[in-house]
Amino acid sequence: MMDFANILFGGPCNRRCPFCIGQQLPLAVRQDNLDRFPPTNLGALIEAVNRLGVRQIVFTGTTTDPQLYRHECRLLELLRSQVTTGASYSLHSNGVLAIKKIEVFNQYDKACLSLPSFESTTYQRMMGANTQVPDLEKILERSRIPVKISCLINEHNASEIDSFLARCQRLGVERVVLRRLLGETRHWEVLEDHHPVRFYRGNPVYDLAGMEVTFWSFDETRSTSLNLFPDGTLTGDYHLTRVGETSTVAAG
Ligand code: SF4
C-alpha cells in the first residue's frame, strides 16, 4: 500500500539552502521541468495512483520550489479529472511565492510550508544569503486551506526552537513538524520538558496548548510513496522518497 505520491519538480530555486539534498541527485532526475506540461510520464503516475488507491498527491521538488512550476492550476485540474481515488492535493513549498500566487495556493487542499526561523539572520544562514523570511502571518490570513509548518533543525536554529514554536502558536498555526536532516546524529534539546501525547510512526507528537508538534526523524520512519521525477522516472523507492522529501524540507 502506497501512502502518497510525490510529483517532483526540478530546476532553479528561489532559495539556496546549503543542505539542499536534491543537488546530490543524478542530473537526470533534477532537470528543469518548470515549464513542461504535463510533466513527463504523468500518465504512468496517474495509472499507478488509481491502481494502488493512493489518496494523497504531493507537489514538491528535488531542487526547486513547486510554486515556481508554471502550470500548477492546469496540472491540478488534470489530476482531479483523471485520478479516481478521491485523493487530496498537497503543496510542499518554501512559501516564498505563496502571497504572490495566493489564488493558486488556495487551489490545493492543504499546504506544508518549510520555515526554519523567523529571524532574518538565521533564515539567511539556512536558506541562502540576501533572502527574506516569508510573511507567515499574511500567508495565514489569506490562506483558505490548512497550513502546516515544517522546520528543519540544525546548528543555526536549534537554540530558537522554543521561541519559534511560541511565535507559531501566536499566529494560530495548528500543526508544526520539526525535522532533522537525513543522517543527522546530533542531539537537539527540543521539547525536553514536554511529554509526547502519542507517537506517529515512531515519532513523538506533542500538544502545545492545542498546537500539534511532531518531532520527525526520517531515519526512524518508514513510509512508502510513488515518486514522479522531472525526467519521467517513476519509482516506489523509499530511499529516493526520503531524498526528495528532505530536499524539500525546505520546499516541503
Ligand atoms: S532545499 Fe528546497 S528551498 Fe532550499 S534550495 Fe533546495 S529546493 Fe530550494
Side-chain angles (χ1 to χ4, degrees):
M1 171 78 182
M2 289 286 173
D3 297 310
F4 53 92
N6 290 311
I7 299 178
L8 293 135
F9 297 97
C13 193
N14 46 15
R15 289 295 178 263
R16 290 176 302 285
C17 310
F19 48 76
C20 184
I21 291 177
Q23 296 292 348
Q24 297 167 21
L25 289 174
L27 198 57
V29 294
R30 54 187 166 94
Q31 63 180 234
D32 187 341
N33 67 339
L34 293 174
D35 205 19
R36 193 178 305 152
F37 182 83
T40 305
N41 218 12
L42 184 74
L45 177 80
I46 292 172
E47 187 280 323
V49 163
N50 287 338
R51 178 167 42 83
L52 297 169
V54 176
R55 293 183 50 85
Q56 185 174 180
I57 297 177
V58 179
F59 283 39
T60 182
T62 55
T63 54
T64 190
D65 183 80
Q67 285 228 282
L68 285 165
Y69 182 55
R70 293 179 189 87
H71 309 284
E72 287 175 273
C73 283
R74 279 175 83 193
L75 183 53
L76 281 167
E77 276 170 28
L78 178 66
L79 288 164
R80 284 183 168 126
S81 70
Q82 295 192 7
V83 168
T84 56
T85 62
S88 65
Y89 295 87
S90 178
L91 170 69
H92 286 197
S93 167
N94 57 28
V96 172
L97 291 173
I99 295 296
K100 191 171 173 191
K101 297 182 77 177
I102 195 68
E103 292 304 322
V104 179
F105 182 90
N106 282 326
Q107 299 301 310
Y108 293 89
D109 296 306
K110 56 186 175 178
C112 177
L113 300 184
S114 295
L115 181 67
S117 177
F118 290 103
E119 305 300 326
S120 180
T121 309
T122 309
Y123 184 86
Q124 291 192 20
R125 284 189 184 125
M126 296 181 73
M127 304 290 281
N130 301 317
T131 55
Q132 269 193 330
V133 185
D135 187 340
L136 183 60
E137 186 169 8
K138 197 181 276 186
I139 294 171
L140 294 174
E141 265 171 29
R142 300 190 183 177
S143 169
R144 296 196 301 270
I145 58 174
V147 176
K148 180 171 80 175
I149 301 301
S150 171
C151 173
L152 177 81
I153 304 178
N154 71 7
E155 66 277 15
H156 299 306
N157 65 346
S159 63
E160 294 175 4
I161 295 303
D162 287 347
S163 58
F164 178 84
L165 291 173
R167 180 133 173 208
C168 285
Q169 267 180 318
R170 285 199 298 278
L171 293 177
V173 173
E174 292 179 356
R175 293 179 70 204
V176 177
V177 178
L178 302 174
R179 298 181 190 274
R180 298 196 301 184
L181 267 178
L182 187 65
E184 177 67 83
T185 54
R186 289 172 291 183
H187 173 76
W188 306 118
E189 290 182 9
V190 290
L191 296 173
E192 299 214 325
D193 296 338
H194 295 76
H195 293 290
V197 291
R198 63 186 172 89
F199 287 83
Y200 177 69
R201 294 185 171 163
N203 299 290
V205 181
Y206 303 87
D207 180 349
L208 269 58
M211 185 173 79
E212 181 187 283
V213 181
T214 307
F215 192 10
W216 190 271
S217 167
F218 285 104
D219 286 345
E220 293 158 17
T221 300
R222 292 289 175 269
S223 66
T224 53
S225 69
L226 289 167
N227 301 284
L228 181 63
F229 286 88
D231 68 338
T233 299
L234 181 61
T235 73
D237 182 283
Y238 177 63
H239 176 66
L240 285 175
T241 301
R242 293 197 304 176
V243 170
E245 281 241 320
T246 306
S247 168
T248 51
V249 178

